[in-house]
Amino acid sequence: MIRCEATHAHAHGAPDATVTLDYDARMLRRKRLTTDAGEDFLVDLPATISLDEGAVFLLADGRQVEVRAAPEQVLEITGDLPRLAWHIGNRHTPCEVQPDRLLIREDHVLEAMLRQLGAHIHRVTAPFRPEGGAYGHGRTMGHDHGHSHDHGHHHDHPAEA
């Protein structure tokens, strides 16, 4: 089975294949995956990472497999979006922010709180692509801003104050 020991934030040129993963599956270190065309490959990374839609697995043979976000059950929230987003963020809950709605994973406690705040909530099936951390990368959990994706590529990130 072909191995993958590195990833990158985006493809260089057209990707050779795609793999569709839900939010939970996009956080991994070592796992057997299957491309959308049915080819298996083994991901064996040095550390656990969170991949955004558009990231690629760099296979040992040079091919690139692009990550797509799978549709999953989420809560669609409408109403006073700035106020509702503040309350969601105050609970460190991953949230996808769109111009006319917010999307979060199903959570009955948050749902009850948001309804009490006047939110309109619908259960929908959609790809879940929440905002990254405060510095534009990673998941909104904990306070570790360290990451490594230096595979011959260098990226500048804002300095932390």
Side-chain angles (χ1 to χ4, degrees):
M1 177 180 322
I2 191 79
R3 293 176 63 93
C4 166
E5 296 179 349
T7 65
H8 195 267
H10 54 84
H12 293 284
D16 301 292
T18 59
V19 61
T20 303
L21 304 170
D22 69 13
Y23 182 66
D24 286 336
R26 293 193 312 265
M27 185 167 192
L28 71 159
R29 189 194 77 73
R30 190 173 202 284
K31 188 172 186 177
R32 179 181 176 171
L33 296 177
T34 304
T35 68
D36 295 333
E39 182 181 359
D40 291 336
F41 63 101
L42 177 66
V43 177
D44 190 10
L45 303 172
T48 300
I49 62 168
S50 176
L51 296 168
D52 292 327
E53 184 170 53
V56 292
F57 292 103
L58 304 172
L59 303 186
D61 64 4
R63 290 181 293 154
Q64 301 176 86
V65 178
E66 185 176 57
V67 174
R68 292 188 177 163
E72 54 189 293
Q73 291 295 118
V74 293
L75 298 179
E76 176 186 68
I77 302 158
T78 57
D80 183 357
L81 295 185
R83 180 172 181 241
L84 298 169
W86 185 90
H87 283 280
I88 292 167
N90 193 42
R91 280 139 187 94
H92 300 278
T93 299
C95 180
E96 182 174 343
V97 178
Q98 296 183 2
D100 59 345
R101 67 183 185 166
L102 305 172
L103 297 175
I104 63 170
R105 300 179 87 195
E106 289 192 7
D107 180 312
H108 69 280
V109 173
L110 277 175
E111 181 178 358
M113 178 202 69
L114 293 167
R115 284 188 192 281
Q116 191 171 26
L117 292 168
H120 302 281
I121 299 176
H122 302 281
R123 284 173 174 71
V124 299
T125 301
F128 185 52
R129 300 171 292 237
E131 293 291 315
Y135 297 94
H137 54 273
R139 294 199 175 202
T140 53
M141 58 184 197
H143 296 284
D144 177 14
H145 301 292
H147 69 286
S148 176
H149 55 242
D150 183 15
H151 304 288
H153 307 284
H154 299 281
H155 304 275
D156 294 325
H157 295 288
E160 294 180 5

